[in-house]
Amino acid sequence: MSGRPTLRRPSHLRSHRQAGRLRVAALGTALVTVLVPSLAACGGDAGTSGGDATLKWTSSYFPTHWDPVVGGSGAQFRELALVYASLTRTDKNGKAVPDLAKSWEYNDKGDRITFHLRPGLKFSDGEPLDATAVKAAIERAKEQEDSALFGDLTSIESVDADGLDAVVSLNQVDYQIPQLLGQRVLQIASPKAAGSPKELDRAPVGAGPFVVTQLIPGTKAVLKKNPDYWDAKNIHIDNVELTSAPDASTVVSGLQTGVYNFADIEPSQADAAKKAGLDVFVQPGFNASNISLNVNKAPFDDSRVVDAVRHAVNRKEFVDKMTFGYGEVTNQPFPEGYVAYDPGSRDAYPYDPAKSKKLLADAGHRAGDIKLDLVIPAEDPQAEIVQSQLAKVGITVNIKIDKNWATPFFAKDLTFSLYGTTGRDSAAQTLTAHFGPDGPLNLSSPYEPAGFEAAIAKVRQTPLEAPEYPKVLQAATRAGLKSEALVFTYSSPNLIAKSKSISDLPGNPAHIDWTGVTVTGSN
């Protein structure tokens, strides 16, 4: 697996200084683009609509790209899902259910899957959404030069279009495909609009529940309900005003005064939101943070040093300081209770600074001998926790901020870094991203732990509904956790504060689903 996934930078890791820089940059963009008219494809004025149920959403994940192929499967897919629909969606149990595809089936061998599309689908520009459009979307995600998704689609060999049937041929048995081709990895854009990806980035055209009528890059998007969306009868919101979140400290007051009625918030703001009478929705997710090590470089080419770092990590400190009690300690890329979480691997390397010091001594290192640059893209409290914890066992950490961090990280040139992701709906894809030899989140590529390749192949060969699937999946997690390239620290849910005028949201893990949601009263 290869690819360039969108980095998950949780909102609670952004410093006030960084947020200020973002506001200045956004203002500059607004000044440049304020005279751009509303998107012609959407028709009509941005401020007009047939109804007045308005969602006012301010987000710290405001899309940097509106082309879903470039946007990738990071946190921004939630906002892009306003505009784009996918073959499948995820239910409250994390399983794939019909979306644009009403059904699908595999051949007997398990290396070909046929998706049957709903009849009469069309994009907001009037173009038909048929199997040809699905074929174009997959091929573009695999082939476009700046695609952040091609590494997720390596099992797909080719796609044939037959009317409303998209036949996906695979290069291996892989029963994960329905899980994979949902909102995170295959949001489908109009092939006509996608003929110019740069233009699509400025004027998104999909077949989702809403249509963009105005877009100020990096700052604001105005949308209206899409009457041609296949499930429009269950979309009760007429308008959406999506804005880039200001400083975290002002979001709660904005919700109180009605400037917004929906916002993702930092854990530090949750209590204030509750005291203000707002609803705080704790949305389950696959968010997990880790310390990334490169075993191809000293000192991590010595497994004793790796184990020393493992035992030097006090995960509870991360939870207490980063999540204000909303997160959980974890040594895995999955939250406890999720089907892929391996109970047998829980606390495999417990916090034990004395053991850490002994391991370093056995490796020939005295206190202060090891000096490391921890390279990160921006100020991050996690880095200070790592610095403090490793100092206690005699490892000196110098925090180095490099805004162009992504280039050396994905080139596997760094020795030591931090990472956090939103995961994937396909557990197998999450595992290969972290532990596979070409995994984008594996800083030690092409290294992979012994036994992982066979274990993940067995996962793909096992139907998701098979009784043995959970054990097979957990065995692959266990094999992956033998990797010396990652030390997981904590997992955390997504926190959302909303006005009581907005009804409860479906509890689909990591997804924001507007089906059935209502907005009442004054906004």
Side-chain angles (χ1 to χ4, degrees):
M1 175 183 176
S2 59
R4 299 180 296 101
T6 302
L7 169 66
R8 174 183 173 264
R9 293 293 305 162
S11 59
H12 61 272
L13 303 185
R14 299 191 311 177
S15 68
H16 296 316
R17 184 183 304 170
Q18 181 190 13
R21 289 196 298 266
L22 290 176
R23 288 198 303 278
V24 171
L27 178 60
T29 303
L31 291 174
V32 171
T33 61
V34 70
L35 298 179
V36 175
S38 300
L39 306 182
C42 301
D45 180 73
T48 63
S49 177
D52 59 3
T54 300
L55 172 71
K56 298 180 180 180
W57 179 2
T58 189
S59 174
S60 59
Y61 299 114
F62 191 91
T64 53
H65 293 283
W66 287 83
D67 177 353
V69 163
V70 181
S73 54
Q76 297 173 6
F77 82 89
R78 299 183 183 96
E79 283 86 351
L80 269 62
L82 293 167
V83 179
Y84 300 104
S86 304
L87 289 174
T88 66
R89 62 170 69 178
T90 302
D91 68 8
K92 64 181 181 180
N93 297 314
K95 295 183 178 180
V97 295
D99 195 3
L100 296 175
K102 62 180 181 179
S103 63
W104 53 84
E105 75 271 344
Y106 277 90
N107 64 351
D108 291 340
K109 187 177 178 181
D111 63 354
R112 188 174 67 249
I113 179 171
T114 301
F115 290 94
H116 305 289
L117 298 177
R118 300 177 188 276
L121 296 173
K122 62 180 179 179
F123 295 98
S124 60
D125 61 359
E127 291 293 305
L129 201 172
D130 53 15
T132 300
V134 173
K135 173 181 170 68
I138 292 175
E139 290 178 348
R140 190 169 74 91
K142 285 173 66 69
E143 298 170 5
Q144 186 166 304
E145 184 176 353
D146 57 354
S147 172
L149 303 176
F150 67 90
D152 291 307
L153 303 173
T154 54
S155 286
I156 296 178
E157 185 69 28
S158 63
V159 183
D160 292 317
D162 182 11
L164 296 179
D165 291 345
V167 183
V168 181
S169 297
L170 310 174
N171 52 33
Q172 60 182 319
V173 176
D174 191 347
Y175 288 103
Q176 296 279 314
I177 298 300
Q179 292 287 112
L180 182 66
L181 297 185
Q183 289 180 346
R184 288 171 178 262
V185 173
L186 193 69
Q187 295 178 324
I188 301 176
S190 163
K192 180 179 179 181
S196 173
K198 290 184 178 180
E199 184 61 27
L200 181 69
D201 223 6
R202 294 189 292 265
V205 180
F210 300 95
V211 178
V212 173
T213 59
Q214 184 184 33
L215 177 60
I216 302 175
T219 304
K220 181 178 181 179
V222 179
L223 306 93
K224 66 179 181 181
K225 179 178 175 179
N226 179 6
D228 295 321
Y229 175 54
W230 74 266
D231 198 24
K233 66 180 183 298
N234 289 315
I235 299 298
H236 308 305
I237 297 171
D238 299 302
N239 307 291
V240 178
E241 297 174 5
L242 177 67
T243 56
S244 180
D247 191 286
S249 62
T250 68
V251 170
V252 171
S253 61
L255 288 163
Q256 284 180 285
T257 58
V259 176
Y260 324 115
N261 54 21
F262 189 88
D264 53 83
I265 59 171
E266 299 183 6
S268 60
Q269 296 295 309
D271 286 346
K274 290 178 180 178
K275 290 176 181 177
L278 300 165
D279 287 336
V280 175
F281 175 44
V282 181
Q283 182 196 44
F286 306 120
N287 306 326
S289 296
N290 69 66
I291 303 168
S292 294
L293 314 178
N294 192 333
V295 302
N296 302 310
K297 296 178 180 289
F300 300 121
D301 54 351
D302 187 329
S303 61
R304 291 170 296 185
V305 176
V306 172
D307 285 348
V309 171
R310 285 167 161 167
H311 286 294
V313 172
N314 179 1
R315 293 175 174 82
K316 188 175 185 303
E317 184 178 0
F318 284 90
V319 172
D320 292 344
K321 292 183 176 178
M322 301 302 302
T323 77
F324 291 78
Y326 284 95
E328 297 179 347
V329 300
T330 190
N331 66 338
Q332 307 183 29
F334 308 108
E336 191 167 357
Y338 180 56
V339 63
Y341 182 90
D342 178 42
S345 298
R346 184 191 292 112
D347 206 24
Y349 295 91
Y351 177 52
D352 190 342
K355 186 171 184 177
S356 179
K357 290 178 182 179
K358 184 179 185 304
L359 284 163
L360 291 172
D362 291 345
H365 299 290
R366 295 175 299 178
D369 281 355
I370 297 178
K371 296 179 173 62
L372 297 168
D373 285 338
L374 179 60
V375 183
I376 55 176
E379 293 178 8
D380 188 339
Q382 284 188 92
E384 296 174 5
I385 296 174
V386 172
Q387 183 183 53
S388 173
Q389 291 185 359
L390 292 189
K392 292 176 182 177
V393 300
I395 297 175
T396 302
V397 173
N398 173 46
I399 299 172
K400 182 178 179 181
I401 294 176
D402 180 359
K403 66 180 181 179
N404 297 316
W405 154 97
T407 299
F409 184 94
F410 292 118
K412 320 301 182 184
D413 289 335
L414 297 182
T415 299
F416 191 40
S417 190
L418 299 178
Y419 206 100
T421 62
T422 57
R424 299 287 193 274
D425 293 317
S426 163
Q429 209 67 15
T430 296
L431 289 170
T432 55
H434 286 91
F435 306 125
D438 298 316
L441 313 187
N442 176 7
L443 188 58
S444 297
S445 295
Y447 159 80
E448 71 174 327
F452 177 71
E453 182 179 7
I456 201 66
K458 190 171 182 180
V459 171
R460 296 188 186 282
Q461 293 162 9
T462 305
L464 276 65
E465 64 275 10
E468 67 271 22
Y469 178 73
K471 288 187 177 180
V472 170
L473 183 56
Q474 289 163 21
T477 299
R478 189 157 55 251
L481 291 174
K482 294 178 183 177
S483 172
E484 298 183 346
L486 299 107
V487 179
F488 289 92
T489 51
Y490 72 99
S491 64
S492 59
N494 303 303
L495 296 180
I496 294 168
K498 65 182 182 66
S499 163
K500 292 186 182 297
S501 65
I502 299 178
S503 65
D504 291 341
L505 275 70
N508 303 1
H511 293 260
I512 297 179
D513 184 356
W514 299 108
T515 305
V517 177
T518 60
V519 181
T520 58
S522 173
N523 289 308

